[in-house]
Amino acid sequence: MKRIISLFLSVFLVLTFSACNDKNVSSQNNESPFIESSMTDNSSLSANNQTEETPNNTSVNQNSFIPQSNIDTSKENSDDKLEVSDKNDDYLENKQENVDLRPEKITKTFDYQDNFRIPDKIVTGNFKDPDCNNTIPYTLYFPADYSPSKKYPVLFYLHGAGSRGSDNAKHLTQASTLFEVNGDLISQAFVICPQCPENGWWYLDKNYYGDNNGYLSTAVKLLQNVLDTYPTDRNRVYVTGLSMGGFGTWEALSRYSNLFAAGIPACGWGDSSMANILKEIPIWIFHGTADTTVSFQSSQSMFDAIKNAGGNKIHFTKLQNVGHDAWFYAFRDRKAISWLFSQNKIKNPAGNYEYISYLEVRDPDGNIIINENDFIKNRVGFLKDSNMKFTIILSENGTTKLSKAYLKYYGKEFKVLSGGKEIYYFTVTDKLNDDKFVIDSYFKFANYAGINRILNNYKNYQKS
């Protein structure tokens, strides 16, 4: 009997200890020192707020004049919605990392602040056309590092029909998209955003061809005024626009070909008979193949006409299964915006360009080893000491390149840059043992959430 009681007590103690131990393990799991937060900013992806309207003709109207009766704004909240991947495989599973075992040793840090926000210095007003009765509101963004002693490129932005008005605000919704992924590039320029009146259109002319009394001509005069007033580089004047603004972009490039160094028309349409003029200008077209508001064929015909005329500076990004949302991709496309800001009428007449990285690692010789094109996943994480780590999972090719560089330059200093600005240096202390690159938190003022958002937007929208 005593043996049975002793055996029963032993079993009871073992079970009790096991249960307590399980409870402690569960508690420890809930207090993991590494808390992951995946921060993708989807607030700007609502097609209900972004859809722009144009004349609801699926065929191309090659005439500069489109009767106002053909303008259909009844579908202001179109069902053409942009679909962006937000699946779980875009992010990493939650797990603790021992960052002290990373093969990099920080040697120097810099005061780094994000430079992807809309510039602080902004001028707004109403521009009165000196040659007619037109008056248009406008917003002018200054370069982030503005100095009267420098000369800056200029970006002329033309909104779509849904943003017409007199509030000097509605048309900035899509314009702000330019800064979301490429703010470090856009903020180097003056950005001019005129607003077309409620019942107006981006026409060059009003009563007859060549009278230059249309609202687009007024906007171009505003542009000329900015060029005359501020320190600008006249060899680097660019134009972009969406929908009705895409039409305006083609019109501006056609008549003012000597003014613009390059243009990006998004889901617009133009006059293919102007191909002999347009073939000399670097142009990058964006259009969705499923666009039911402005036919995809309208951009295809412009591309074909320019190519047939001998043009070799023309690019065309065909967005498969995308509706009337091409500007979402165009304005966030790092490759296209790098291309745009590389164009210079004097120094780069051939229309060549070099990709400008957003986030990059350079070897001791100054060569770019990896950048965002080598990233497949990224995450922001917090450690118990409140330090933040930004972990990037590299592609196979990116892992190979970084691993080889670490072996070649063991013990030497590498540089990490964001938006062209140095954020910290490190030396290699060991070989690369995995496919990760960890951005260290010890450089100052880093906005990890912003970097994470930009890289997620980059992955979602890069289509060129």
Side-chain angles (χ1 to χ4, degrees), residues 111-138:
D111 287 348
Y112 169 79
Q113 289 181 311
D114 59 84
N115 60 347
F116 42 76
R117 295 178 179 174
I118 295 176
D120 294 329
K121 186 173 176 57
I122 300 173
V123 171
T124 62
N126 292 287
F127 179 76
K128 175 71 169 65
D129 193 318
D131 302 316
C132 63
N133 293 323
N134 293 343
T135 299
I136 57 173
Y138 70 90

PDB file of all heavy atoms in Angstrom, residues 111-138:
ATOM      1  N   ASP A 111      24.540  61.798 -38.920  1.00  0.00           N
ATOM      2  CA  ASP A 111      23.214  62.337 -38.628  1.00  0.00           C
ATOM      3  C   ASP A 111      22.371  62.194 -39.885  1.00  0.00           C
ATOM      4  O   ASP A 111      22.532  62.961 -40.834  1.00  0.00           O
ATOM      5  CB  ASP A 111      23.306  63.812 -38.225  1.00  0.00           C
ATOM      6  CG  ASP A 111      23.893  63.983 -36.841  1.00  0.00           C
ATOM      7  OD1 ASP A 111      24.014  62.973 -36.134  1.00  0.00           O
ATOM      8  OD2 ASP A 111      24.232  65.114 -36.478  1.00  0.00           O
ATOM      9  N   TYR A 112      21.518  61.209 -39.875  1.00  0.00           N
ATOM     10  CA  TYR A 112      20.705  60.930 -41.069  1.00  0.00           C
ATOM     11  C   TYR A 112      19.243  61.234 -40.781  1.00  0.00           C
ATOM     12  O   TYR A 112      18.680  60.773 -39.792  1.00  0.00           O
ATOM     13  CB  TYR A 112      20.839  59.458 -41.474  1.00  0.00           C
ATOM     14  CG  TYR A 112      19.832  59.024 -42.515  1.00  0.00           C
ATOM     15  CD1 TYR A 112      20.027  59.323 -43.853  1.00  0.00           C
ATOM     16  CD2 TYR A 112      18.688  58.331 -42.151  1.00  0.00           C
ATOM     17  CE1 TYR A 112      19.107  58.940 -44.805  1.00  0.00           C
ATOM     18  CE2 TYR A 112      17.756  57.945 -43.088  1.00  0.00           C
ATOM     19  CZ  TYR A 112      17.970  58.246 -44.420  1.00  0.00           C
ATOM     20  OH  TYR A 112      17.048  57.874 -45.357  1.00  0.00           O
ATOM     21  N   GLN A 113      18.625  62.007 -41.642  1.00  0.00           N
ATOM     22  CA  GLN A 113      17.190  62.248 -41.571  1.00  0.00           C
ATOM     23  C   GLN A 113      16.567  61.869 -42.901  1.00  0.00           C
ATOM     24  O   GLN A 113      17.172  62.071 -43.953  1.00  0.00           O
ATOM     25  CB  GLN A 113      16.908  63.714 -41.238  1.00  0.00           C
ATOM     26  CG  GLN A 113      17.271  64.080 -39.801  1.00  0.00           C
ATOM     27  CD  GLN A 113      16.949  65.527 -39.502  1.00  0.00           C
ATOM     28  OE1 GLN A 113      17.306  66.421 -40.243  1.00  0.00           O
ATOM     29  NE2 GLN A 113      16.263  65.756 -38.401  1.00  0.00           N
ATOM     30  N   ASP A 114      15.378  61.299 -42.823  1.00  0.00           N
ATOM     31  CA  ASP A 114      14.721  60.887 -44.061  1.00  0.00           C
ATOM     32  C   ASP A 114      14.540  62.088 -44.982  1.00  0.00           C
ATOM     33  O   ASP A 114      14.265  63.196 -44.543  1.00  0.00           O
ATOM     34  CB  ASP A 114      13.367  60.245 -43.765  1.00  0.00           C
ATOM     35  CG  ASP A 114      12.436  61.182 -43.035  1.00  0.00           C
ATOM     36  OD1 ASP A 114      11.775  61.987 -43.710  1.00  0.00           O
ATOM     37  OD2 ASP A 114      12.375  61.118 -41.792  1.00  0.00           O
ATOM     38  N   ASN A 115      14.714  61.876 -46.258  1.00  0.00           N
ATOM     39  CA  ASN A 115      14.545  62.952 -47.229  1.00  0.00           C
ATOM     40  C   ASN A 115      13.519  62.571 -48.289  1.00  0.00           C
ATOM     41  O   ASN A 115      13.601  62.981 -49.429  1.00  0.00           O
ATOM     42  CB  ASN A 115      15.885  63.297 -47.901  1.00  0.00           C
ATOM     43  CG  ASN A 115      16.468  62.101 -48.646  1.00  0.00           C
ATOM     44  OD1 ASN A 115      16.010  60.980 -48.466  1.00  0.00           O
ATOM     45  ND2 ASN A 115      17.480  62.334 -49.455  1.00  0.00           N
ATOM     46  N   PHE A 116      12.533  61.773 -47.862  1.00  0.00           N
ATOM     47  CA  PHE A 116      11.516  61.349 -48.813  1.00  0.00           C
ATOM     48  C   PHE A 116      10.191  62.047 -48.577  1.00  0.00           C
ATOM     49  O   PHE A 116       9.177  61.689 -49.147  1.00  0.00           O
ATOM     50  CB  PHE A 116      11.310  59.828 -48.746  1.00  0.00           C
ATOM     51  CG  PHE A 116      11.290  59.278 -47.357  1.00  0.00           C
ATOM     52  CD1 PHE A 116      10.187  59.429 -46.543  1.00  0.00           C
ATOM     53  CD2 PHE A 116      12.398  58.618 -46.857  1.00  0.00           C
ATOM     54  CE1 PHE A 116      10.173  58.916 -45.266  1.00  0.00           C
ATOM     55  CE2 PHE A 116      12.391  58.113 -45.570  1.00  0.00           C
ATOM     56  CZ  PHE A 116      11.291  58.251 -44.777  1.00  0.00           C
ATOM     57  N   ARG A 117      10.175  63.079 -47.725  1.00  0.00           N
ATOM     58  CA  ARG A 117       8.937  63.796 -47.484  1.00  0.00           C
ATOM     59  C   ARG A 117       8.787  64.969 -48.442  1.00  0.00           C
ATOM     60  O   ARG A 117       9.761  65.443 -49.016  1.00  0.00           O
ATOM     61  CB  ARG A 117       8.904  64.297 -46.040  1.00  0.00           C
ATOM     62  CG  ARG A 117       8.857  63.166 -45.016  1.00  0.00           C
ATOM     63  CD  ARG A 117       8.867  63.705 -43.606  1.00  0.00           C
ATOM     64  NE  ARG A 117       8.806  62.629 -42.632  1.00  0.00           N
ATOM     65  CZ  ARG A 117       8.911  62.814 -41.328  1.00  0.00           C
ATOM     66  NH1 ARG A 117       9.083  64.025 -40.839  1.00  0.00           N
ATOM     67  NH2 ARG A 117       8.852  61.794 -40.500  1.00  0.00           N
ATOM     68  N   ILE A 118       7.568  65.456 -48.571  1.00  0.00           N
ATOM     69  CA  ILE A 118       7.338  66.630 -49.393  1.00  0.00           C
ATOM     70  C   ILE A 118       8.092  67.804 -48.780  1.00  0.00           C
ATOM     71  O   ILE A 118       8.055  68.008 -47.569  1.00  0.00           O
ATOM     72  CB  ILE A 118       5.827  66.928 -49.484  1.00  0.00           C
ATOM     73  CG1 ILE A 118       5.135  65.766 -50.226  1.00  0.00           C
ATOM     74  CG2 ILE A 118       5.569  68.249 -50.183  1.00  0.00           C
ATOM     75  CD1 ILE A 118       3.639  65.895 -50.293  1.00  0.00           C
ATOM     76  N   PRO A 119       8.792  68.592 -49.576  1.00  0.00           N
ATOM     77  CA  PRO A 119       9.602  69.691 -49.051  1.00  0.00           C
ATOM     78  C   PRO A 119       8.794  70.677 -48.206  1.00  0.00           C
ATOM     79  O   PRO A 119       7.597  70.875 -48.408  1.00  0.00           O
ATOM     80  CB  PRO A 119      10.132  70.369 -50.319  1.00  0.00           C
ATOM     81  CG  PRO A 119      10.109  69.298 -51.362  1.00  0.00           C
ATOM     82  CD  PRO A 119       8.922  68.447 -51.035  1.00  0.00           C
ATOM     83  N   ASP A 120       9.474  71.282 -47.249  1.00  0.00           N
ATOM     84  CA  ASP A 120       8.826  72.228 -46.348  1.00  0.00           C
ATOM     85  C   ASP A 120       8.528  73.564 -47.021  1.00  0.00           C
ATOM     86  O   ASP A 120       7.530  74.207 -46.712  1.00  0.00           O
ATOM     87  CB  ASP A 120       9.706  72.464 -45.110  1.00  0.00           C
ATOM     88  CG  ASP A 120       9.851  71.218 -44.260  1.00  0.00           C
ATOM     89  OD1 ASP A 120       8.900  70.417 -44.248  1.00  0.00           O
ATOM     90  OD2 ASP A 120      10.905  71.044 -43.638  1.00  0.00           O
ATOM     91  N   LYS A 121       9.402  73.992 -47.922  1.00  0.00           N
ATOM     92  CA  LYS A 121       9.235  75.306 -48.534  1.00  0.00           C
ATOM     93  C   LYS A 121       8.298  75.202 -49.729  1.00  0.00           C
ATOM     94  O   LYS A 121       8.618  74.558 -50.736  1.00  0.00           O
ATOM     95  CB  LYS A 121      10.582  75.882 -48.966  1.00  0.00           C
ATOM     96  CG  LYS A 121      10.494  77.316 -49.493  1.00  0.00           C
ATOM     97  CD  LYS A 121      11.872  77.902 -49.746  1.00  0.00           C
ATOM     98  CE  LYS A 121      11.796  79.295 -50.357  1.00  0.00           C
ATOM     99  NZ  LYS A 121      11.032  80.252 -49.549  1.00  0.00           N
ATOM    100  N   ILE A 122       7.136  75.814 -49.622  1.00  0.00           N
ATOM    101  CA  ILE A 122       6.105  75.751 -50.654  1.00  0.00           C
ATOM    102  C   ILE A 122       5.565  77.157 -50.897  1.00  0.00           C
ATOM    103  O   ILE A 122       5.349  77.926 -49.956  1.00  0.00           O
ATOM    104  CB  ILE A 122       4.952  74.819 -50.228  1.00  0.00           C
ATOM    105  CG1 ILE A 122       5.474  73.402 -49.977  1.00  0.00           C
ATOM    106  CG2 ILE A 122       3.845  74.802 -51.274  1.00  0.00           C
ATOM    107  CD1 ILE A 122       4.434  72.463 -49.393  1.00  0.00           C
ATOM    108  N   VAL A 123       5.360  77.488 -52.166  1.00  0.00           N
ATOM    109  CA  VAL A 123       4.737  78.757 -52.541  1.00  0.00           C
ATOM    110  C   VAL A 123       3.429  78.450 -53.254  1.00  0.00           C
ATOM    111  O   VAL A 123       3.387  77.600 -54.149  1.00  0.00           O
ATOM    112  CB  VAL A 123       5.656  79.600 -53.452  1.00  0.00           C
ATOM    113  CG1 VAL A 123       4.913  80.804 -54.003  1.00  0.00           C
ATOM    114  CG2 VAL A 123       6.886  80.048 -52.690  1.00  0.00           C
ATOM    115  N   THR A 124       2.357  79.093 -52.858  1.00  0.00           N
ATOM    116  CA  THR A 124       1.058  78.918 -53.521  1.00  0.00           C
ATOM    117  C   THR A 124       0.553  80.272 -53.988  1.00  0.00           C
ATOM    118  O   THR A 124       0.931  81.327 -53.460  1.00  0.00           O
ATOM    119  CB  THR A 124       0.029  78.292 -52.575  1.00  0.00           C
ATOM    120  OG1 THR A 124      -0.174  79.171 -51.461  1.00  0.00           O
ATOM    121  CG2 THR A 124       0.496  76.939 -52.071  1.00  0.00           C
ATOM    122  N   GLY A 125      -0.311  80.262 -54.978  1.00  0.00           N
ATOM    123  CA  GLY A 125      -0.862  81.521 -55.473  1.00  0.00           C
ATOM    124  C   GLY A 125      -1.753  81.310 -56.665  1.00  0.00           C
ATOM    125  O   GLY A 125      -2.134  80.178 -57.000  1.00  0.00           O
ATOM    126  N   ASN A 126      -2.119  82.396 -57.321  1.00  0.00           N
ATOM    127  CA  ASN A 126      -2.917  82.370 -58.546  1.00  0.00           C
ATOM    128  C   ASN A 126      -2.131  83.095 -59.628  1.00  0.00           C
ATOM    129  O   ASN A 126      -1.635  84.213 -59.419  1.00  0.00           O
ATOM    130  CB  ASN A 126      -4.270  83.058 -58.330  1.00  0.00           C
ATOM    131  CG  ASN A 126      -5.166  82.269 -57.393  1.00  0.00           C
ATOM    132  OD1 ASN A 126      -5.708  81.233 -57.753  1.00  0.00           O
ATOM    133  ND2 ASN A 126      -5.305  82.761 -56.167  1.00  0.00           N
ATOM    134  N   PHE A 127      -2.022  82.446 -60.764  1.00  0.00           N
ATOM    135  CA  PHE A 127      -1.271  83.027 -61.874  1.00  0.00           C
ATOM    136  C   PHE A 127      -2.221  83.595 -62.907  1.00  0.00           C
ATOM    137  O   PHE A 127      -3.097  82.897 -63.419  1.00  0.00           O
ATOM    138  CB  PHE A 127      -0.370  81.972 -62.525  1.00  0.00           C
ATOM    139  CG  PHE A 127       0.418  82.478 -63.696  1.00  0.00           C
ATOM    140  CD1 PHE A 127       1.543  83.276 -63.492  1.00  0.00           C
ATOM    141  CD2 PHE A 127       0.030  82.179 -64.997  1.00  0.00           C
ATOM    142  CE1 PHE A 127       2.275  83.754 -64.577  1.00  0.00           C
ATOM    143  CE2 PHE A 127       0.752  82.643 -66.077  1.00  0.00           C
ATOM    144  CZ  PHE A 127       1.879  83.444 -65.867  1.00  0.00           C
ATOM    145  N   LYS A 128      -2.052  84.867 -63.213  1.00  0.00           N
ATOM    146  CA  LYS A 128      -2.872  85.555 -64.222  1.00  0.00           C
ATOM    147  C   LYS A 128      -2.120  85.572 -65.541  1.00  0.00           C
ATOM    148  O   LYS A 128      -1.004  86.068 -65.634  1.00  0.00           O
ATOM    149  CB  LYS A 128      -3.157  86.989 -63.760  1.00  0.00           C
ATOM    150  CG  LYS A 128      -3.908  87.840 -64.776  1.00  0.00           C
ATOM    151  CD  LYS A 128      -5.346  87.386 -64.897  1.00  0.00           C
ATOM    152  CE  LYS A 128      -6.172  88.399 -65.701  1.00  0.00           C
ATOM    153  NZ  LYS A 128      -5.745  88.523 -67.114  1.00  0.00           N
ATOM    154  N   ASP A 129      -2.745  85.006 -66.566  1.00  0.00           N
ATOM    155  CA  ASP A 129      -2.139  84.976 -67.891  1.00  0.00           C
ATOM    156  C   ASP A 129      -2.045  86.405 -68.429  1.00  0.00           C
ATOM    157  O   ASP A 129      -3.056  87.111 -68.513  1.00  0.00           O
ATOM    158  CB  ASP A 129      -2.995  84.110 -68.830  1.00  0.00           C
ATOM    159  CG  ASP A 129      -2.281  83.766 -70.128  1.00  0.00           C
ATOM    160  OD1 ASP A 129      -1.625  84.656 -70.694  1.00  0.00           O
ATOM    161  OD2 ASP A 129      -2.398  82.617 -70.577  1.00  0.00           O
ATOM    162  N   PRO A 130      -0.859  86.853 -68.813  1.00  0.00           N
ATOM    163  CA  PRO A 130      -0.715  88.235 -69.307  1.00  0.00           C
ATOM    164  C   PRO A 130      -1.339  88.457 -70.677  1.00  0.00           C
ATOM    165  O   PRO A 130      -1.526  89.606 -71.079  1.00  0.00           O
ATOM    166  CB  PRO A 130       0.803  88.420 -69.358  1.00  0.00           C
ATOM    167  CG  PRO A 130       1.355  87.030 -69.531  1.00  0.00           C
ATOM    168  CD  PRO A 130       0.431  86.141 -68.773  1.00  0.00           C
ATOM    169  N   ASP A 131      -1.705  87.386 -71.388  1.00  0.00           N
ATOM    170  CA  ASP A 131      -2.203  87.522 -72.756  1.00  0.00           C
ATOM    171  C   ASP A 131      -3.697  87.260 -72.898  1.00  0.00           C
ATOM    172  O   ASP A 131      -4.253  87.435 -73.983  1.00  0.00           O
ATOM    173  CB  ASP A 131      -1.438  86.562 -73.679  1.00  0.00           C
ATOM    174  CG  ASP A 131       0.057  86.816 -73.649  1.00  0.00           C
ATOM    175  OD1 ASP A 131       0.467  88.001 -73.702  1.00  0.00           O
ATOM    176  OD2 ASP A 131       0.823  85.829 -73.569  1.00  0.00           O
ATOM    177  N   CYS A 132      -4.339  86.792 -71.823  1.00  0.00           N
ATOM    178  CA  CYS A 132      -5.783  86.538 -71.890  1.00  0.00           C
ATOM    179  C   CYS A 132      -6.357  86.616 -70.474  1.00  0.00           C
ATOM    180  O   CYS A 132      -5.672  87.022 -69.544  1.00  0.00           O
ATOM    181  CB  CYS A 132      -6.074  85.182 -72.534  1.00  0.00           C
ATOM    182  SG  CYS A 132      -5.436  83.769 -71.619  1.00  0.00           S
ATOM    183  N   ASN A 133      -7.600  86.220 -70.309  1.00  0.00           N
ATOM    184  CA  ASN A 133      -8.260  86.363 -69.015  1.00  0.00           C
ATOM    185  C   ASN A 133      -8.113  85.146 -68.109  1.00  0.00           C
ATOM    186  O   ASN A 133      -8.737  85.076 -67.054  1.00  0.00           O
ATOM    187  CB  ASN A 133      -9.755  86.655 -69.230  1.00  0.00           C
ATOM    188  CG  ASN A 133      -9.984  88.013 -69.864  1.00  0.00           C
ATOM    189  OD1 ASN A 133      -9.267  88.980 -69.564  1.00  0.00           O
ATOM    190  ND2 ASN A 133     -10.985  88.097 -70.743  1.00  0.00           N
ATOM    191  N   ASN A 134      -7.304  84.187 -68.507  1.00  0.00           N
ATOM    192  CA  ASN A 134      -7.150  82.977 -67.707  1.00  0.00           C
ATOM    193  C   ASN A 134      -6.414  83.249 -66.399  1.00  0.00           C
ATOM    194  O   ASN A 134      -5.407  83.961 -66.377  1.00  0.00           O
ATOM    195  CB  ASN A 134      -6.362  81.911 -68.477  1.00  0.00           C
ATOM    196  CG  ASN A 134      -7.112  81.381 -69.677  1.00  0.00           C
ATOM    197  OD1 ASN A 134      -8.324  81.554 -69.793  1.00  0.00           O
ATOM    198  ND2 ASN A 134      -6.391  80.737 -70.592  1.00  0.00           N
ATOM    199  N   THR A 135      -6.918  82.661 -65.328  1.00  0.00           N
ATOM    200  CA  THR A 135      -6.240  82.667 -64.035  1.00  0.00           C
ATOM    201  C   THR A 135      -6.291  81.254 -63.478  1.00  0.00           C
ATOM    202  O   THR A 135      -7.361  80.631 -63.453  1.00  0.00           O
ATOM    203  CB  THR A 135      -6.898  83.635 -63.042  1.00  0.00           C
ATOM    204  OG1 THR A 135      -6.825  84.970 -63.563  1.00  0.00           O
ATOM    205  CG2 THR A 135      -6.195  83.593 -61.691  1.00  0.00           C
ATOM    206  N   ILE A 136      -5.143  80.733 -63.050  1.00  0.00           N
ATOM    207  CA  ILE A 136      -5.102  79.366 -62.519  1.00  0.00           C
ATOM    208  C   ILE A 136      -4.370  79.350 -61.177  1.00  0.00           C
ATOM    209  O   ILE A 136      -3.367  80.038 -60.998  1.00  0.00           O
ATOM    210  CB  ILE A 136      -4.424  78.382 -63.493  1.00  0.00           C
ATOM    211  CG1 ILE A 136      -2.997  78.835 -63.838  1.00  0.00           C
ATOM    212  CG2 ILE A 136      -5.250  78.197 -64.747  1.00  0.00           C
ATOM    213  CD1 ILE A 136      -2.215  77.816 -64.660  1.00  0.00           C
ATOM    214  N   PRO A 137      -4.870  78.557 -60.214  1.00  0.00           N
ATOM    215  CA  PRO A 137      -4.126  78.356 -58.963  1.00  0.00           C
ATOM    216  C   PRO A 137      -2.897  77.493 -59.235  1.00  0.00           C
ATOM    217  O   PRO A 137      -2.862  76.711 -60.193  1.00  0.00           O
ATOM    218  CB  PRO A 137      -5.120  77.627 -58.065  1.00  0.00           C
ATOM    219  CG  PRO A 137      -6.450  77.706 -58.767  1.00  0.00           C
ATOM    220  CD  PRO A 137      -6.150  77.839 -60.215  1.00  0.00           C
ATOM    221  N   TYR A 138      -1.909  77.616 -58.378  1.00  0.00           N
ATOM    222  CA  TYR A 138      -0.727  76.771 -58.520  1.00  0.00           C
ATOM    223  C   TYR A 138      -0.065  76.570 -57.160  1.00  0.00           C
ATOM    224  O   TYR A 138      -0.226  77.363 -56.235  1.00  0.00           O
ATOM    225  CB  TYR A 138       0.288  77.383 -59.494  1.00  0.00           C
ATOM    226  CG  TYR A 138       0.976  78.619 -58.957  1.00  0.00           C
ATOM    227  CD1 TYR A 138       2.163  78.536 -58.233  1.00  0.00           C
ATOM    228  CD2 TYR A 138       0.424  79.887 -59.163  1.00  0.00           C
ATOM    229  CE1 TYR A 138       2.785  79.669 -57.721  1.00  0.00           C
ATOM    230  CE2 TYR A 138       1.034  81.024 -58.667  1.00  0.00           C
ATOM    231  CZ  TYR A 138       2.222  80.907 -57.945  1.00  0.00           C
ATOM    232  OH  TYR A 138       2.828  82.025 -57.435  1.00  0.00           O
TER     233      TYR A 138
END
